[in-house]
Amino acid sequence: TIFGRVKLTAQTRDASSKFAEAIRGRPEVLDCYTTMGEWDFMLKVVMRDIKAFEAFFLDHLSKLPYVQSINSSVTVTAIKESTVLPIL
């Protein structure tokens, strides 16, 4: 599992829409969120190994519309994973 933070070249509706449209078609990306602050998007990417992520990064992610920079963090251990919503 890799968490990626993506910064676009422009913070416009068109740039965000084009990036979002392109990322929706990537099955490796389980989750994608818009964020405020230094980065524009946060991705959760699942790959079989780091070599596969490298290929995805070089061949696809870095070539998406309006991508300026990407910061990736590779997970080592999952301490807690859940899909249960804490609705009380």
Side-chain angles (χ1 to χ4, degrees):
T1 301
I2 296 100
F3 289 95
R5 289 159 299 282
V6 178
K7 183 174 185 70
L8 301 183
T9 57
Q11 284 67 43
T12 63
R13 189 176 304 274
D14 184 57
S16 291
S17 294
K18 290 233 170 36
F19 178 83
E21 182 181 325
I23 207 71
R24 280 188 192 104
R26 300 305 316 178
E28 308 89 338
V29 179
L30 298 187
D31 300 312
C32 177
Y33 304 94
T34 57
T35 59
M36 296 178 77
E38 184 178 349
W39 302 97
D40 299 309
F41 289 90
M42 169 74 82
L43 311 175
K44 180 179 180 181
V45 181
V46 175
M47 306 296 292
R48 106 181 133 266
D49 57 31
I50 199 65
K51 251 341 211 182
F53 177 72
E54 179 184 29
F56 169 69
F57 179 92
L58 294 173
D59 298 338
H60 302 289
L61 189 56
S62 63
K63 295 179 180 179
L64 290 180
Y66 295 100
V67 169
Q68 176 179 318
S69 59
I70 304 163
N71 179 286
S72 303
S73 299
V74 178
T75 61
V76 177
T77 304
I79 304 300
K80 179 180 178 181
E81 290 182 309
S82 178
T83 58
V84 177
L85 296 176
I87 299 174
L88 304 174

